[in-house]
Amino acid sequence: MCAWAAVAAGIWLGSLASWGGAASWLSVSSAACGAAVLLRGKACRAALAMGLVAFGAGWGALREREDAADSLATRLAGLALEAPVRLTGVVSTPIAAIERPTNPLMAFRPEDPGWRFELSVDRLGDDPREGPARGAVTVLARERPAVGAGDRVVVTGAYRAIGPALNPGESDRARWARSRGLVGSVDVPRAALIAPDEAHAGAWARARSGWHAFRGALRARAERSLARATAGLSDQGRVLVHSLLLGRPPPGGAEAAGQLRDSFTRLGLAHVLAISGFHLVVLVAVLLRVVRLAGDPGRLEPIGIAALVLLYLALVPASAPILRAGVLALALVLSEALGRRYDRLTLLAWVALGLLVWRPSELWSLGYQLSCGLTALLLWMGQRVHARVFPPPIRTGTLDDLRWLDPPAWRRLLNAARGLLSTTMLCWLVSSPLVLWRTGLLTPLAIPAAMAVVPLSVLVLAIGFGSLLLGLASPALAGVGAAPLTWSASACVWAVERLDAIPGAALDLPPVSMAWTLAATALWAWWLGWARRRDWRPLALAGLLAFWAGAEWRWAWRPAAPLRIDTLAVGDGSAHLLRAGGESLLWDCGSPSPSAGRLVIRRALRCLGQTRVRTLVLTHPDVDHYSALPDLLGPLGVRRALLSERFVDQARERPGGPAAAALAMLGARGVDVVVLAAGDRFVLGGVPFEVLSPPGGAPWSADNEHSLAAWARVGGRSLLLTGDAQASAIAAMRERWPWLRADVVEAPHHGSAIPAAIEWLSGMAPAVVLQSAGPRRAEDPRWSPSRARSEWLVTARDGSAWVEFGRNGALSWGTFRQRRGPE
């Protein structure tokens, strides 16, 4: 445990200290470990700890921040956005259709079908003299390529690197990809640009091709077997079986998979659906039953089980949760095979340390924290808590005690249910503070849901693994267990749907502090393991923690300034959060990404302490300004929507269009719709906003011209929100309000270089300009004169940006990527 803590602390320290390179840290580690050889006692232990800390910092820096000279990331560094590249390598995954998340409003912006696969790259270009380039890319093809897993190909396309996180709460995609050797993506417009590699491949390249071809064939055979076994199931049932057994939904099941995953997550059962140690425990149990049918194989049993687990790991996707579970299972199985008694908690600590050495980025993964932490908790406190919840019977020393040695079937089931209850209660109570801190989700029904769903999931896994083994042995046997598999999977889906429909099954709460998380975790562990049942202190401390959380939610996340605006990074879309006087408003909520509402906007709002937004402004009918509406209306509790006249008119004129669909969603939720025009006003937390555009009955033809624009003044400073206003709207505003000036301005139409907009902002000379735009509009040189006179914050470059209006007229601003300052 000390070794793990030292390496983990080093990885954390290395992520903070940008001044220390990997070579420096590893030199310090070598010196400290060398000194430990010469020292004794406490000095030796201190030197070893220092050496492990330095090793963690150096190794983390080497894996996460520094690239080798022959790495693909180094060779492609500095390329422009969507620069053409030519890569040679091995197709490492089967060709799969791109299934985009379902969003009712994004149906009005249809995209062409596409296919994807991962390419393990050997070199740049197709000439062996180019030299090696190690890494992997995701190939996105618009036409289905005629290749398969294991084929060596030359791919030509437009390269896009994986960018950093740009919003609060957004996962660090660059860190995740880097730990897996993934560099970026290549967009290939035609299948002809994916050609076979005609050059002679070496022995290692041929071995890699053979391995990937074997994995691809194994996966295809397994999917065909499960397709036969699940032919009678609903879409949700097929998704459940495929996700439990293969770690991915069946083809065409992306929509059902998203719905099912959300239901499991809201019930606190995400670990049941994603392949983890829970699944491998069932797999090992099934394999043990099968192996022992032939008698006692002795030492060959754990070796055979380990080989079959390795085969299963080759079958499922090589994701972090699956590999973590596989390493843990193999370590425990092999330790038993050695015939010695190992302390399991110590063994777990070494395995957790090995996982950190393998992928230092796992330290930040919630899955790693819960997998290793809860497994350690069960090994340490599981039996103690079970004995406190269900005290063992008093043994009398008579023949009556024999009935406990061989209990009847009903008592075995009762004991299993008691074990599941105590285990679930311990894991849920101790992990809830961490999950709340990381995700904002509290699942009050997790314990009863686990009691209902876990036994059914175990049944699905046991029958499914049997069917999968038979199907892999012979396709004709794939449907042997179809009937019981259909019944158990349908029952499991039904239970999840009924439980998820209960009000209050999941609560989205504002963020809590790390100090509160640690205190709550310690309280639950102490209460369950050591506190007496009639002790009043745990209840008093729980009440104190509840007051602490309430105080944080009430005061810690409310801006001290009279007005604050946060502009989120949503690409070529818009989402501005305005807060004043304890009230909040979301000015537009759109993005080209169909999952931006769930994965970007909601997470960012929660990290900003805003889980409820009662007022929503939809500036105009272009869907890129409200595409996230379906994912936000319910969770944010929206009660009022402010719209332009053009929005309502277009919904009436085009009943099958996106504006009509959005109005129908608002009506279904009972949201009050208010239509605004130039001259109207609305108030946010005591701050009045005046609508500047569009004037009522404006004759303009373009939807962008009808975008709402509003102006507010607080503390002697002013804010101007322009939406997608273009030349006609800008001219009308300048004519009606010739005195108009603003200290903070939203760049019109995502910063498009419209001459009227450039002239307007040049004359206005605001202190800060907020540009919500994607990479293509980030650095347009036509805005250079305006950029020279203003602090220009671009979401594609700087991440989400904020500006606070002080009571004394001061302005302060900052961005997610650490740009900040006063005016």
Side-chain angles (χ1 to χ4, degrees), residues 390-721:
F390 301 105
I394 298 176
R395 301 301 171 87
T396 61
T398 63
L399 292 177
D400 291 337
D401 291 342
L402 294 177
R403 60 191 177 93
W404 298 104
L405 299 179
D406 187 19
W410 67 269
R411 184 167 291 279
R412 293 179 185 174
L413 291 175
L414 179 61
N415 291 338
R418 287 177 172 178
L420 176 61
L421 177 59
S422 64
T423 299
T424 303
M425 185 173 63
L426 173 62
C427 292
W428 180 76
L429 289 174
V430 176
S431 65
S432 287
L434 176 62
V435 174
L436 179 60
W437 177 51
R438 292 292 302 271
T439 68
L441 187 66
L442 183 64
T443 54
L445 293 183
I447 295 177
M451 297 300 296
V453 174
V454 169
L456 292 172
S457 301
V458 170
L459 189 59
V460 173
L461 283 170
I463 299 173
F465 280 134
S467 298
L468 186 59
L469 289 173
L470 291 174
L472 290 176
S474 173
L477 301 176
V480 169
L485 184 62
T486 299
W487 175 86
S488 57
S490 300
C492 187
V493 170
W494 180 87
V496 169
E497 290 177 344
R498 298 290 83 76
L499 288 167
D500 187 36
I502 297 175
L507 302 176
D508 288 315
L509 298 176
V512 293
S513 63
M514 181 186 293
W516 185 92
T517 302
L518 296 175
T521 303
L523 172 62
W524 283 121
W526 171 65
W527 195 347
L528 291 171
W530 290 275
R532 296 181 179 179
R533 294 189 177 186
R534 298 183 180 180
D535 194 345
W536 59 270
R537 291 175 297 175
L539 291 175
L541 291 174
L544 180 61
L545 282 174
F547 175 79
W548 182 356
E552 287 189 353
W553 295 338
R554 178 67 176 82
W555 292 291
W557 300 103
R558 175 181 290 187
L563 177 64
R564 172 173 169 135
I565 178 172
D566 289 88
T567 298
L568 304 183
V570 290
D572 287 319
S574 295
H576 307 275
L577 174 68
L578 287 86
R579 289 177 284 177
E583 297 181 3
S584 59
L585 174 149
L586 193 59
W587 182 278
D588 279 333
C589 57
S591 170
S593 170
S595 57
R598 180 171 54 90
L599 299 181
V600 177
I601 299 178
R602 281 177 57 186
R603 290 181 180 180
L605 294 182
R606 179 196 164 264
C607 288
L608 294 171
Q610 206 64 50
T611 56
R612 293 290 183 268
V613 178
R614 302 305 186 187
T615 303
L616 188 64
V617 177
L618 307 182
T619 55
H620 62 294
D622 281 1
V623 73
D624 63 316
H625 283 252
Y626 56 92
S627 61
L629 190 65
D631 295 324
L632 300 179
L633 274 180
L636 295 185
V638 177
R639 296 177 180 173
R640 183 177 63 153
L642 310 181
L643 281 63
S644 65
E645 288 183 356
R646 182 58 167 262
F647 203 108
V648 177
D649 291 343
Q650 190 176 106
R652 187 184 306 113
E653 295 167 1
R654 305 176 190 172
L663 278 181
M665 294 177 190
L666 295 173
R669 288 280 179 180
V671 178
D672 294 331
V673 175
V674 180
V675 178
L676 298 177
D680 293 334
R681 288 193 173 192
F682 62 90
V683 179
L684 178 68
V687 177
F689 283 75
E690 183 172 359
V691 179
L692 306 182
S693 185
W700 307 321
S701 59
D703 288 340
N704 287 338
E705 299 284 18
H706 291 265
S707 179
L708 287 174
W711 181 85
R713 188 173 183 86
V714 58
R717 298 289 191 160
S718 54
L719 167 67
L720 175 61
L721 296 169

Side-chain angles (χ1 to χ4, degrees), residues 320-346:
I322 298 172
L323 295 176
R324 271 197 308 268
V327 171
L328 286 170
L330 289 174
L332 293 174
V333 168
L334 293 178
S335 66
E336 296 292 336
L338 295 177
R340 301 179 60 183
R341 294 184 179 180
Y342 290 93
D343 181 83
R344 293 193 172 187
L345 193 58
T346 303

Side-chain angles (χ1 to χ4, degrees), residues 133 181 187 244 272 275 320 419 570 695 708 723:
D187 187 15
L244 287 176
V272 175
I275 293 182
V570 290
L708 287 174

Side-chain angles (χ1 to χ4, degrees), residues 36-191:
V37 176
L38 306 177
L39 299 173
R40 294 293 182 269
K42 294 182 179 180
C44 175
R45 290 193 288 272
L48 281 174
M50 184 182 301
L52 287 174
V53 170
F55 170 77
W59 184 249
L62 186 65
R63 291 296 306 272
E64 295 192 8
R65 297 203 305 268
E66 300 181 12
D67 295 310
D70 63 344
S71 71
L72 185 61
T74 302
R75 301 287 300 274
L76 297 179
L79 289 183
L81 178 68
E82 297 185 349
V85 295
R86 190 174 178 85
L87 306 173
T88 301
V90 180
V91 178
S92 58
T93 60
I95 311 299
I98 298 176
E99 298 183 39
R100 298 175 176 87
T102 302
N103 182 324
L105 294 178
M106 294 303 290
F108 298 98
R109 299 184 63 179
E111 297 186 44
D112 295 332
W115 285 263
R116 64 182 299 160
F117 62 89
E118 283 194 13
L119 181 72
S120 180
V121 179
D122 296 328
R123 63 181 183 270
L124 291 179
D126 53 3
D127 187 348
R129 293 172 295 180
E130 288 285 338
R134 296 180 294 105
V137 294
T138 301
V139 178
L140 306 175
R142 299 180 191 177
E143 299 176 357
R144 184 179 179 89
V147 297
D151 292 343
R152 290 191 56 81
V153 295
V154 179
V155 175
T156 304
Y159 171 71
R160 182 190 293 266
I162 297 176
L166 297 176
N167 294 284
E170 188 176 342
S171 58
D172 193 342
R173 295 164 295 174
R175 171 182 284 170
W176 174 88
R178 190 184 192 90
S179 67
R180 289 152 181 79
L182 192 62
V183 176
S185 62
V186 177
D187 187 15
V188 181
R190 299 190 308 276

